[in-house]
Amino acid sequence: MSIIIQDKGLLTTIQSSNGAVDSLSPQLANKLVGNSVDADTVEMVVRPAVIQFTEPTVIAFSGAFFKALVGDKTIYPNRIYIFDKGDVLQFTDINRGSRIYLAVAGGIRYEKSNILESGDEIIMCRNYTELHDEIFNMMRNNETVSWGIDTYALAEIYLSDDFHIVRRDDTPDEIYEKLIEREYTIVGERNRFAIYLKGEEIEFDPDRIDNYGILGGVFIQDNQPVMAFNDFVTSTSLPHVGTIPSYHMHKLAQKTNGSLLKFKVIDAEDAHVELYKFEMWKKTIFKAIDYKIKKELVKEKM
Amino acid sequence: MFFENGEAAITFQVKRVFTDKERQTFLERFAPHKSDELESLVVTESTVNLLYNPTKIMERHDTIEPAGIPFEVLKEVVGDVTE
């Protein structure tokens, strides 16, 4: 037996690190449970799945700020938990965001399709390392630890409404002037495909045959911006005005309908500086998790 | 024209449709360059896109301008193709 999807929720899939719409949250959840940060996770959207465990399983979830219940115990994001045979994880209140990523110590995989239906099983790989063994030992007498990734540490990364867009040299300045003039409102999302905005109208019809449907690409459809997610088309005839850098895509992934969004137009050089700062921040968080786990292990051995 | 398509891609775009032979040539020319720094080449009707890992290039090549390496490779990949 493995992990059973009792209720699939709105859309529950297993995603690789490249396939996750919010690429940061799976890394955080994986890091907490001792996995490689690139290990596959369960991506759940808006209405998460109900999940049953059939053996002692160490998990963490990250992303949207959902609370969850196992029996009468409240389960929080960005913490490590161990669940036992028969435990059922059910998500409840949502405070912010739209996507949750569940990591399972030792890794997971799917048998037929990565799109999970009610009744499907997620196969536990059980690729346990020495670190996993130590985490299991550490949690033998405790269902969780007293720490997690602090919400404030993630606030700056997730809560801002400002989005960088890397300009194209061949796009006229007046297009960018309109784009940055006022905030845009998210009016819809086709899941994993694109986010649709409404705000200042942009009339743009350049002489191009097709554009690459790059992840984070900002395209104009019916005079309004459309932002491409992971499953967007490879090639599109929609005019392309710029691209959101990867370090802002996880923030976009957690925005919901009605959220406001403000563009800031930058050059690729500035985006590289910001990306490097983001990578340094991420390394700091990962080191802090390593430190906390080691400290718990020492405490356990004393 | 060439342009930086976000912080992790360089795009070459033309105002016509590439021939099948041109597309094949692009992929063949890129193959020996594929690495964890220069991750993939995506060819559409009229664009050639080199996806790269800026952080790895910055750290390994001690540079704050990681686009230089993929840009040179993309120029080699498209060769003398005209717009």
Side-chain angles (χ1 to χ4, degrees), chain A residues 135-147:
Chain A
I135 291 173
F136 269 103
N137 279 335
M138 172 180 97
M139 304 195 70
R140 211 173 25 202
N141 301 316
N142 300 298
E143 290 162 342
T144 184
V145 289
S146 59
W147 54 271

Side-chain angles (χ1 to χ4, degrees), chain A residues 20-137:
Chain A
V21 178
D22 168 356
S23 60
L24 174 62
S25 295
Q27 295 185 48
L28 295 173
N30 273 319
K31 190 72 188 166
L32 282 166
V33 299
N35 288 350
S36 151
V37 292
D38 296 326
D40 289 3
T41 53
V42 182
E43 181 180 86
M44 294 176 270
V45 185
V46 182
R47 189 168 66 80
V50 178
I51 300 171
Q52 185 185 354
F53 297 85
T54 62
E55 64 183 57
T57 309
V58 170
I59 68 105
F61 64 88
S62 190
F65 200 87
F66 278 86
K67 281 182 191 169
L69 288 173
V70 167
D72 56 359
K73 285 170 291 195
T74 305
I75 308 295
Y76 296 93
N78 301 310
R79 282 195 180 201
I80 313 172
Y81 291 92
I82 189 163
F83 296 142
D84 209 347
K85 182 179 177 180
D87 282 347
V88 176
L89 177 67
Q90 189 153 15
F91 292 89
T92 55
D93 311 328
I94 179 169
N95 286 343
R96 62 158 181 82
S98 57
R99 291 182 166 84
I100 299 178
Y101 295 85
L102 176 84
V104 176
I108 50 171
R109 65 184 172 85
Y110 55 90
E111 200 144 49
K112 290 176 190 154
S113 167
N114 74 322
I115 301 169
L116 300 170
E117 300 293 334
S118 301
D120 279 356
E121 280 189 28
I122 299 170
I123 299 165
M124 290 172 67
C125 299
R126 303 184 187 87
N127 293 328
Y128 297 129
T129 62
E130 203 174 311
L131 176 61
H132 288 124
D133 292 342
E134 290 190 312
I135 291 173
F136 269 103
N137 279 335

Side-chain angles (χ1 to χ4, degrees), chain A:
Chain A
M1 293 295 277
S2 239
I3 297 169
I4 299 166
I5 302 295
Q6 281 193 347
D7 179 335
K8 68 171 186 170
L10 181 64
L11 178 64
T12 300
T13 56
I14 295 182
Q15 293 293 343
S16 67
S17 56
N18 288 335
V21 178
D22 168 356
S23 60
L24 174 62
S25 295
Q27 295 185 48
L28 295 173
N30 273 319
K31 190 72 188 166
L32 282 166
V33 299
N35 288 350
S36 151
V37 292
D38 296 326
D40 289 3
T41 53
V42 182
E43 181 180 86
M44 294 176 270
V45 185
V46 182
R47 189 168 66 80
V50 178
I51 300 171
Q52 185 185 354
F53 297 85
T54 62
E55 64 183 57
T57 309
V58 170
I59 68 105
F61 64 88
S62 190
F65 200 87
F66 278 86
K67 281 182 191 169
L69 288 173
V70 167
D72 56 359
K73 285 170 291 195
T74 305
I75 308 295
Y76 296 93
N78 301 310
R79 282 195 180 201
I80 313 172
Y81 291 92
I82 189 163
F83 296 142
D84 209 347
K85 182 179 177 180
D87 282 347
V88 176
L89 177 67
Q90 189 153 15
F91 292 89
T92 55
D93 311 328
I94 179 169
N95 286 343
R96 62 158 181 82
S98 57
R99 291 182 166 84
I100 299 178
Y101 295 85
L102 176 84
V104 176
I108 50 171
R109 65 184 172 85
Y110 55 90
E111 200 144 49
K112 290 176 190 154
S113 167
N114 74 322
I115 301 169
L116 300 170
E117 300 293 334
S118 301
D120 279 356
E121 280 189 28
I122 299 170
I123 299 165
M124 290 172 67
C125 299
R126 303 184 187 87
N127 293 328
Y128 297 129
T129 62
E130 203 174 311
L131 176 61
H132 288 124
D133 292 342
E134 290 190 312
I135 291 173
F136 269 103
N137 279 335
M138 172 180 97
M139 304 195 70
R140 211 173 25 202
N141 301 316
N142 300 298
E143 290 162 342
T144 184
V145 289
S146 59
W147 54 271
I149 304 170
D150 192 85
T151 308
Y152 294 106
L154 301 175
E156 196 183 334
I157 297 294
Y158 278 106
L159 293 189
S160 146
D161 297 331
D162 294 333
F163 284 83
H164 290 169
I165 175 171
V166 176
R167 67 163 72 237
R168 282 183 62 142
D169 293 340
D170 62 339
T171 299
D173 285 345
E174 52 261 36
I175 299 297
Y176 293 122
E177 283 161 16
K178 287 204 166 178
L179 206 59
I180 64 172
E181 198 168 300
R182 290 194 189 92
E183 289 172 322
Y184 281 86
T185 306
I186 295 178
V187 291
E189 180 191 334
R190 202 170 135 197
N191 192 28
R192 295 188 52 83
F193 185 84
I195 268 187
Y196 300 86
L197 306 180
K198 191 167 174 54
E200 189 72 22
E201 290 210 344
I202 294 174
E203 287 180 34
F204 186 42
D205 189 18
D207 182 21
R208 300 175 195 145
I209 292 176
D210 88 319
N211 287 295
Y212 173 39
I214 189 169
L215 174 63
V218 181
F219 302 89
I220 304 298
Q221 181 176 298
D222 301 330
N223 297 342
Q224 297 291 341
V226 174
M227 301 158 87
F229 273 155
N230 304 55
D231 294 352
F232 196 68
V233 289
T234 308
S235 172
T236 176
S237 58
L238 295 176
H240 173 237
V241 294
T243 301
I244 306 296
S246 59
Y247 58 81
H248 276 173
M249 285 306 290
H250 42 264
K251 185 165 62 177
L252 186 63
Q254 295 294 354
K255 294 291 179 199
T256 50
N257 270 1
S259 295
L260 296 176
L261 187 154
K262 188 142 183 54
F263 288 111
K264 183 183 177 189
V265 180
I266 63 168
D267 294 321
E269 290 75 18
D270 298 325
H272 289 137
V273 173
E274 293 298 321
L275 174 70
Y276 201 72
K277 277 159 57 180
F278 170 71
E279 290 295 330
M280 290 301 106
W281 171 86
K282 207 164 70 177
K283 278 184 184 168
T284 309
I285 292 280
F286 288 172
K287 279 196 173 154
I289 294 170
D290 286 339
Y291 171 75
K292 284 284 196 182
I293 290 176
K294 274 186 189 144
K295 208 170 147 191
E296 290 285 341
L297 295 175
V298 170
K299 213 162 66 181
E300 181 67 24
K301 283 172 188 166
M302 280 171 69

